[in-house]
Amino acid sequence: GRYKNWEGPVFWGSIPYVSPKNPSDSDKLLKVLTMTEGAKYDAVNMYDSMIISVGIIQWAERSQYCVSDMLGKVAETLGVQYVLDALTPALKISNATFKQNAKGKWRFFFLDERGEVNTDAKQKELFLKCSGEFGTWPESSKIHAKTWAASIANIWWDERAQAVQRKFCVDRMMWFLMPLSKAELFTPNIPNVGWHGAIKAAYLSYAGNLPAIADKVLKAHLAQTKHEKFSK
């Protein structure tokens, strides 16, 4: 795939998010949010500036370590060996492992003097074996990155791992809200049904991709609209 000056492997995924039979308010919000991000548990994007993004909301690794955090939750639930087994092909060709650091955070580590993968440069070295920019991919790097994409995608075939990812998303999706949107749309006194709930879900689906832009648009709308708040 390609986005602006970046390119790399992409797997659109094959395991769709399905709402529970009796969805909670959070499940309903998550359903709408995931539709803007592909809604596949095993989706892997390695063709933009975030280096690697994974899952039904496409959590990014660069600077945020969300992929590592999410895999860490899988390790804590299903056992770290489950994660290591799924990632064996990628870890082997990268001379790396996955474990907790001194602060208890689950992170990737090179098995040499490079140590913890805690910089953008190390993340590119681990996952891409190149800069990720358009036209900079030797065949060896393509094979390397595709191995990572396949290995991480394979983690999500187990329904228990899917449940971990679903909870991870529910627990973190409010990260996309900035102070204005929290105050105007997501205070406890605002219902989660009807137009209130629909607008909450629609807003969150935009904010999940670009929180600052969604906040800016909301601010402009509030300043100019003449309609009653939450009206049809």
Side-chain angles (χ1 to χ4, degrees):
R2 183 179 179 186
Y3 179 73
K4 295 185 177 179
N5 195 42
W6 308 95
E7 65 177 347
V10 57
F11 177 53
W12 300 120
S14 60
I15 308 171
Y17 170 79
V18 179
S19 294
K21 290 184 178 180
N22 297 300
S24 65
D25 291 340
S26 294
D27 291 325
K28 293 175 183 178
L29 288 173
L30 182 61
K31 176 65 174 180
V32 176
L33 173 56
T34 61
M35 294 308 293
T36 64
E37 294 294 322
K40 299 290 174 54
Y41 285 103
D42 53 340
V44 181
N45 167 11
M46 301 177 73
Y47 67 84
D48 64 22
S49 63
M50 300 313 291
I51 301 177
I52 182 169
S53 304
V54 176
I56 55 178
I57 296 185
Q58 287 292 285
W59 294 104
E61 182 72 356
R62 182 184 180 187
S63 303
Q64 303 171 10
Y65 302 98
C66 289
V67 176
S68 292
D69 288 342
M70 188 160 63
L71 294 179
K73 292 297 183 183
V74 175
E76 291 172 359
T77 305
L78 279 70
V80 68
Q81 196 58 48
Y82 172 86
V83 175
L84 294 175
D85 288 346
L87 297 181
T88 291
L91 293 173
K92 186 175 181 179
I93 63 172
S94 305
N95 191 31
T97 191
F98 183 67
K99 62 181 181 179
Q100 288 176 293
N101 64 16
K103 295 182 179 179
K105 301 288 187 180
W106 288 92
R107 296 290 183 262
F108 288 99
F109 285 77
F110 288 112
L111 295 175
D112 55 29
E113 68 279 357
R114 291 172 293 178
E116 184 176 350
V117 181
N118 53 8
T119 66
D120 288 1
K122 288 183 179 181
Q123 288 179 346
K124 290 179 180 180
E125 176 68 14
L126 178 71
F127 296 111
L128 310 179
K129 210 72 174 177
C130 69
S131 70
E133 295 179 43
F134 183 74
T136 65
W137 288 83
E139 190 63 28
S140 59
S141 293
K142 292 179 182 180
I143 295 172
H144 183 95
K146 287 178 180 180
T147 301
W148 270 104
S151 297
I152 287 184
N154 285 340
I155 286 176
W156 309 106
W157 282 96
D158 192 305
E159 291 184 358
R160 296 172 299 168
Q162 295 168 31
V164 171
Q165 185 180 143
R166 185 166 60 247
K167 184 178 186 305
F168 183 89
C169 293
V170 168
D171 290 345
R172 293 198 179 197
M173 65 183 176
M174 293 305 168
W175 281 16
F176 303 128
L177 303 178
M178 302 186 78
L180 177 66
S181 55
K182 285 183 179 180
E184 294 290 342
L185 304 179
F186 286 85
T187 55
N189 62 307
I190 298 175
N192 290 318
V193 296
W195 282 102
H196 298 77
I199 291 172
K200 282 183 174 182
Y203 180 82
L204 192 63
S205 74
Y206 282 94
N209 189 258
L210 292 168
I213 298 299
D215 193 68
K216 181 180 179 180
V217 171
L218 176 63
K219 183 177 181 179
H221 168 74
L222 292 172
Q224 68 185 12
T225 184
K226 297 180 179 178
H227 297 290
E228 180 184 353
K229 190 174 179 181
F230 294 111
S231 67
K232 185 175 181 180

